[in-house]
Amino acid sequence: DDDSNNSKHLLVKLNIKPDPFTELEQTKHFQYFSFRSTIVFPRTLSSSSYRVTYSIENAGAASYAMAWPDSTVFYSSTLHNPDS
């Protein structure tokens, strides 16, 4: 771990919201999701002194959990870009 001594760790825990119950399959699937996170730091703090980790708490219970190892993540640090 190459964090500096002044680095702080922020852990954000998420849960995927299930889809509506399906009568045909008699279950609530969940697999696809997206989220937007905005972290605002006080002017006296530098955002570079923080490390943010997002933990998807119920990922293992997803409808196709075995797909997680080959999945990819996209993120953008451009706050004012509505397409990010």
Side-chain angles (χ1 to χ4, degrees):
D1 199 326
D2 61 354
D3 289 344
S4 70
N5 292 335
N6 296 328
S7 180
K8 293 179 177 64
H9 185 209
L10 178 62
L11 175 62
V12 179
K13 295 181 179 183
L14 307 163
N15 280 286
I16 303 170
K17 182 180 174 183
D19 294 335
F21 182 81
T22 61
E23 292 292 332
L24 177 65
E25 297 169 299
Q26 297 292 301
T27 192
K28 287 184 176 184
H29 288 288
F30 64 93
Q31 184 67 35
Y32 300 101
F33 67 95
S34 65
F35 67 92
R36 176 169 272 190
S37 175
T38 303
I39 301 171
V40 179
F41 295 95
R43 291 180 193 219
T44 57
L45 297 176
S46 167
S47 62
S48 63
S49 66
Y50 281 81
R51 185 181 70 181
V52 181
T53 301
Y54 295 91
S55 175
I56 303 170
E57 299 289 295
N58 61 350
S63 299
Y64 192 64
M66 63 185 124
W68 285 110
D70 294 324
S71 66
T72 57
V73 174
F74 169 80
Y75 82 94
S76 171
S77 60
T78 308
L79 179 62
H80 300 292
N81 182 349
D83 296 324
S84 68

